[in-house]
Amino acid sequence: MDHFTSDNSKERDFICRMFSDEDNIKDTELEKYCEYESIEVPEVYTGPHITFPLKPTHAAALVEAFKQKQQLHSRYVLHLLHETKKHLKQLPNIKRVSTSYSKEITICGDLHGRLDDLFLIFYKNGLPSPERPYLFNGDFVDRGKQSIEILMILFAFLLVYPKALHLNRGNHEDYMVNLRYGFTKEVMKKYKVHGKKILKMLQSVFSWLPLATIIDQKVLVTHGGVSSTTDLNLLSKIERHKFASTLRPRKKKEKTKQMDEKLNHGNCTNGENAVAEPVNPHRSGSFSHSSSPSLIPKYKGKRSASSPTTMTIDRKEISKRVRQAVDEELEKCRRQVGLTETYAEPDSPVSVSESDSDSGDVQEFDTDNEEMKQIVDILWSDPMPQDGCKSNTVRGGGCYFGPDVTEKFLRKHGLQMLIRSHECKQEGYEFCHNGKVLTIFSASNYYEIGSNKGAYVKLGPDLVPHFVQYQANKTTNTLTMRQRVSTVEESALRALREKLFAHKSDVINAFKLYDRKRSGYITLNDWATALESVLKLGLPWRMLRPQLIGSSPEGLLRYRDWFDELSACQPTRENLHSSLLEALYRNRSDLETIFRIIDSDSSGLISFEEFKHTWKLLSSHLNIEVSDEAICNMARSIDFNKDGNIDINEFLEAFRLVDKPHVEGLGTDV
């Protein structure tokens, strides 16, 4: 250091960090614990072999091996993690990338352990290379079943093409979050012998992932978002590896001591804290709990019903013992995976709603630490339509930031756009804040088959986003055309029925307003109007009537009985208009063959040119004459999301919604 002349202060700070005694000691201990050279690969091992330095053929072979359901040996996993960490330690907190060399960069959002989505992205867009760079924006793991394979592929290409593959950290690249959402269990199940070492090494690797990337000095890409206090200058100086988890650490002894003090001294205001807050033992999902007699204090004699003080003490005692039992069980689980520190479990109940990608991720954060708050805000925040910045109560950390916060942040740092992930979007992407915030989500079929598309976005020097959507699922590739539509319909109708029951009282009251004679019946028109007045969903209720109403003699609906029928019914596939759709399905085997020939990548997407060619075949097959102009108009009308492509759902839905009279004049009216 005495004889080193740095070009700038950042370089000198980096050299200082490299030679930090404390960090070197910790790294030495970790490498000793996670040492891989002594692990032998048996001769019977039939999985992929990798050698270092990695070459492009090694990374490509790894992709093919995982397609064949092969597993990478733990020795190779640990070696790959060691090399990945060495590389990540050299990177800044905020990477800067230019499109001037490659002309285009592909940005992917959450994958969440869905390897088929990654395979489809590579199939459609090509493997990473200097000519085809990628940026993966965090949340590679958890929820899905093949998180470790995704990491191995991404880390391999990162080492092969360090300037062409870029990784941002997501809120799920956190070993405490992994305990709850599946990744820890996945690793321990697949690597029973060396799973602890792999998890320990991953904990360190995750902590070294960059926090954000700036493209062409104009586009910030980070996992969650920003807040009113987000400062890129401060973020660039944080020693990010010190924050292996964004959850709030609290030592077990300290926590127990605080609990005892509360129980003994009872500092209460208006009795609000008279009973210690219980912990739901099933919330974590990482252990099971059964009622135990040892948790219930033994009582001597009978307790008087008029003695509330005794009851309060008893409930405190039960709560204390439950909390201690939960802590012991969690501690046991953490010891199994080699975690030495005890962290506080969230006190907030986990939301059962899954309206976004992580709405169940209610956690507890140390927001008193300014550096920690900066990291939490960019990893956990979500945009909202209203101005302002407020606490993110759904997730329990980060914030909701409005258009004014976005505008101020971008102006302050001379940026044009913020690209983030973190939330599931039905189309795979969504703009908000006047087009200045783009959410990209790459895990298709996130909730169930057909629930959402995945997408990635390509940015060139003009910084104009170009989107590619897809749905990766083995089942959808073999489903008939009608089954693909039905899957999406059933999911949507199930959600709609739940919405109706949630507002049952309001809906019935609205029905009563139209039932002036108190007969218990209303017309179907009044049914549709009343539903829209309560739910305000903007849905075509009259078109949905065959799916929601079984029978309506004389055009009247007995609305109180309707809810009973609705709770028992399933989506009615038979209630389709007699239309061209029926003609399509009378010839479905031939038509599906045609579609599969044209839809060569089985993605369910066809371009306008492919559609034109397809319709020529269809019109010939069904003896319908259609002009080229009519076909182009038809294609534009069917492309509901205006992305320049038509998927199978859009194609069939257009015909399903056409009334019979219009179908008969298909050549001009569609």
Side-chain angles (χ1 to χ4, degrees):
M1 286 297 295
D2 292 338
H3 300 282
F4 174 74
T5 303
S6 62
D7 292 338
N8 52 59
S9 59
K10 290 184 178 179
E11 190 174 29
R12 191 172 184 87
D13 290 341
F14 168 66
I15 296 298
C16 288
R17 290 199 302 271
M18 281 184 62
F19 291 99
S20 168
D21 291 339
E22 182 182 354
D23 289 344
N24 280 341
I25 292 172
K26 289 182 179 179
D27 285 346
T28 302
E29 292 175 351
L30 179 63
E31 289 174 8
K32 184 178 179 180
Y33 176 74
C34 300
E35 191 268 334
Y36 58 86
E37 293 181 349
S38 62
I39 302 175
E40 295 184 1
V41 180
E43 293 183 2
V44 296
Y45 171 70
T46 58
H49 294 263
I50 57 176
T51 57
F52 293 85
L54 285 177
K55 297 179 180 179
T57 53
H58 295 146
L62 202 57
V63 173
E64 293 305 314
F66 290 151
K67 285 182 180 179
Q68 302 303 319
K69 308 299 180 185
Q70 296 179 3
Q71 182 170 305
L72 187 63
H73 195 274
S74 55
R75 175 193 171 100
Y76 298 135
V77 172
L78 284 168
H79 196 173
L80 185 55
L81 292 177
H82 274 272
E83 297 300 323
T84 301
K85 180 182 175 183
K86 288 180 185 177
H87 172 71
L88 292 176
K89 289 176 68 174
Q90 302 175 41
L91 303 180
N93 293 347
I94 302 175
K95 291 194 67 178
R96 296 184 181 271
V97 176
S98 173
T99 60
S100 60
Y101 303 104
S102 63
K103 305 301 182 186
E104 201 171 49
I105 185 169
T106 301
I107 304 168
C108 302
D110 301 34
L111 287 169
H112 279 303
R114 285 159 171 78
L115 187 58
D116 286 342
D117 284 306
L118 183 61
F119 286 156
L120 185 52
I121 291 170
F122 285 164
Y123 178 83
K124 295 173 76 68
N125 198 57
L127 293 174
S129 68
E131 298 77 28
R132 199 175 291 107
Y134 280 86
L135 168 57
F136 289 88
N137 196 27
D139 277 15
F140 321 119
V141 302
D142 280 334
R143 302 188 186 277
K145 296 181 179 180
Q146 294 174 293
S147 297
I148 190 68
E149 287 81 3
I150 287 177
L151 288 179
M152 294 301 99
I153 291 173
L154 295 183
F155 290 163
F157 278 109
L158 177 67
L159 296 177
V160 173
Y161 300 117
K163 294 184 179 180
L165 191 131
H166 314 280
L167 303 175
N168 283 344
R169 183 178 181 179
N171 64 304
H172 277 262
E173 278 65 66
D174 183 313
Y175 72 102
M176 290 302 297
V177 177
N178 300 153
L179 272 171
R180 172 164 296 184
Y181 293 101
F183 181 49
T184 298
K185 288 184 179 180
E186 177 191 331
V187 173
M188 293 299 290
K189 181 179 180 180
K190 293 178 178 178
Y191 297 96
K192 294 180 174 63
V193 178
H194 300 289
K196 293 180 184 178
K197 293 182 179 181
I198 293 172
L199 287 170
K200 194 70 177 176
M201 197 66 199
L202 280 167
Q203 175 181 335
S204 181
V205 170
F206 285 168
S207 71
W208 280 105
L209 286 168
L211 302 174
T213 301
I214 295 179
I215 301 174
D216 290 345
Q217 306 296 324
K218 293 297 181 183
V219 178
L220 174 69
V221 185
T222 193
H223 182 71
V226 297
S227 72
S228 57
T229 60
T230 298
D231 187 336
L232 295 185
N233 295 324
L234 177 56
L235 276 168
S236 65
K237 299 174 183 176
I238 293 175
E239 295 183 74
R240 65 182 187 274
H241 65 284
K242 292 186 177 180
F243 301 97
S245 177
T246 54
L247 296 186
R248 181 168 67 193
R250 185 192 296 167
K251 296 295 183 182
K252 182 179 177 182
K253 290 182 179 179
E254 177 187 344
K255 180 180 175 183
T256 305
K257 181 180 178 182
Q258 292 174 351
M259 181 60 62
D260 289 341
E261 288 176 354
K262 285 184 178 180
L263 293 173
N264 294 332
H265 299 293
N267 287 340
C268 304
T269 305
N270 298 328
E272 290 177 356
N273 299 319
V275 181
E277 183 177 351
V279 173
N280 181 353
H282 298 288
R283 184 173 61 218
S284 170
S286 58
F287 61 92
S288 60
H289 174 76
S290 59
S291 299
S292 171
S294 64
L295 295 177
I296 304 175
K298 297 179 180 178
Y299 299 100
K300 295 181 180 180
K302 296 182 178 179
R303 177 178 55 81
S304 170
S306 61
S307 177
T309 305
T310 306
M311 181 58 183
T312 301
I313 294 173
D314 295 342
R315 291 176 65 186
K316 288 179 182 178
E317 182 66 22
I318 293 173
S319 178
K320 177 182 176 182
R321 295 192 184 194
V322 169
R323 185 180 288 272
Q324 288 175 344
V326 169
D327 286 341
E328 289 170 3
E329 194 70 31
L330 274 175
E331 183 66 17
K332 179 181 177 181
C333 178
R334 289 176 180 124
R335 282 199 302 269
Q336 288 175 351
V337 296
L339 299 182
T340 56
E341 291 182 285
T342 300
Y343 281 72
E345 281 301 301
D347 291 335
S348 305
V350 176
S351 169
V352 297
S353 171
E354 289 281 356
S355 59
D356 55 37
S357 68
D358 289 319
S359 62
D361 294 349
V362 181
Q363 305 292 357
E364 189 171 311
F365 303 88
D366 181 8
T367 54
D368 295 333
N369 185 315
E370 179 57 32
E371 290 186 343
M372 173 73 85
K373 185 179 185 303
Q374 290 283 326
I375 294 177
V376 169
D377 283 348
I378 65 167
L379 296 186
W380 288 83
S381 296
D382 297 299
M384 65 177 182
Q386 304 84 11
D387 282 346
C389 185
K390 62 181 182 179
S391 177
N392 194 326
T393 55
V394 174
R395 298 187 189 274
C399 73
Y400 294 115
F401 61 98
D404 59 328
V405 174
T406 296
E407 181 67 33
K408 183 178 179 181
F409 173 83
L410 295 178
R411 187 169 59 249
K412 175 183 177 181
H413 295 283
L415 301 169
Q416 292 180 3
M417 182 190 297
L418 167 65
I419 297 180
R420 41 93 62 181
S421 302
H422 199 40
E423 289 182 289
C424 178
K425 299 299 180 183
Q426 189 173 6
E427 296 299 323
Y429 70 93
E430 183 179 272
F431 279 105
C432 64
H433 293 186
N434 302 314
K436 295 185 177 181
V437 173
L438 169 63
T439 297
I440 191 78
F441 194 81
S442 299
S444 65
N445 306 298
Y446 185 63
Y447 301 112
E448 57 185 290
I449 297 174
S451 63
N452 69 283
K453 297 176 184 177
Y456 56 86
V457 59
K458 299 166 77 71
L459 279 186
D462 58 1
L463 301 181
V464 176
H466 299 277
F467 302 98
V468 178
Q469 298 168 294
Y470 53 85
Q471 280 187 301
N473 189 279
K474 295 175 185 176
T475 309
T476 57
N477 289 340
T478 58
L479 289 177
T480 66
M481 292 185 291
R482 179 60 203 160
Q483 285 172 328
R484 295 187 190 186
V485 176
S486 297
T487 299
V488 181
E489 283 182 346
E490 288 173 14
S491 176
L493 288 169
R494 184 162 55 250
L496 181 57
R497 284 197 299 274
E498 291 172 359
K499 190 88 171 176
L500 287 167
F501 279 101
H503 295 81
K504 181 177 179 180
S505 298
D506 293 335
V507 170
I508 288 179
N509 288 335
F511 288 160
K512 288 179 179 178
L513 295 177
Y514 291 94
D515 182 18
R516 296 181 178 86
K517 297 181 179 180
R518 298 294 183 264
S519 63
Y521 289 89
I522 57 173
T523 66
L524 296 180
N525 280 339
D526 290 341
W527 168 83
T529 305
L531 287 180
E532 182 58 29
S533 68
V534 174
L535 300 180
K536 302 185 187 307
L537 296 176
L539 293 175
W541 294 105
R542 291 168 182 80
M543 288 184 178
L544 291 171
R545 179 179 60 79
Q547 299 285 5
L548 296 174
I549 298 177
S551 61
S552 52
E554 299 180 0
L556 296 174
L557 175 69
R558 190 176 180 85
Y559 53 87
R560 288 191 178 275
D561 293 344
W562 174 63
F563 272 100
D564 296 332
E565 296 172 3
L566 194 64
S567 64
C569 77
Q570 294 296 324
T572 311
R573 298 185 184 183
E574 298 80 11
N575 292 338
L576 296 172
H577 294 293
S578 175
S579 65
L580 176 64
L581 188 58
E582 294 178 2
L584 289 174
Y585 296 132
R586 282 197 297 270
N587 303 277
R588 64 182 180 275
S589 59
D590 293 337
L591 297 176
E592 286 172 10
T593 301
I594 295 172
F595 261 96
R596 283 179 178 162
I597 291 172
I598 297 174
D599 185 18
S600 58
D601 61 358
S602 298
S603 65
L605 292 174
I606 54 178
S607 67
F608 281 11
E609 194 63 28
E610 289 172 334
F611 177 82
K612 180 179 178 181
H613 179 62
T614 302
W615 186 256
K616 287 293 184 183
L617 293 174
L618 287 172
S619 60
S620 174
H621 188 75
L622 299 174
N623 295 318
I624 300 175
E625 292 186 6
V626 187
S627 67
D628 288 348
E629 182 179 356
I631 293 176
C632 291
N633 292 335
M634 194 187 309
R636 282 190 288 270
S637 66
I638 294 174
D639 182 20
F640 297 134
N641 60 8
K642 307 304 178 187
D643 65 346
N645 292 292
I646 299 170
D647 63 23
I648 288 296
N649 296 334
E650 289 175 327
F651 181 78
L652 291 183
E653 189 69 359
F655 293 109
R656 191 184 73 79
L657 294 178
V658 174
D659 290 333
K660 184 176 180 179
H662 293 93
V663 173
E664 293 172 354
L666 181 65
T668 58
D669 290 336
V670 173

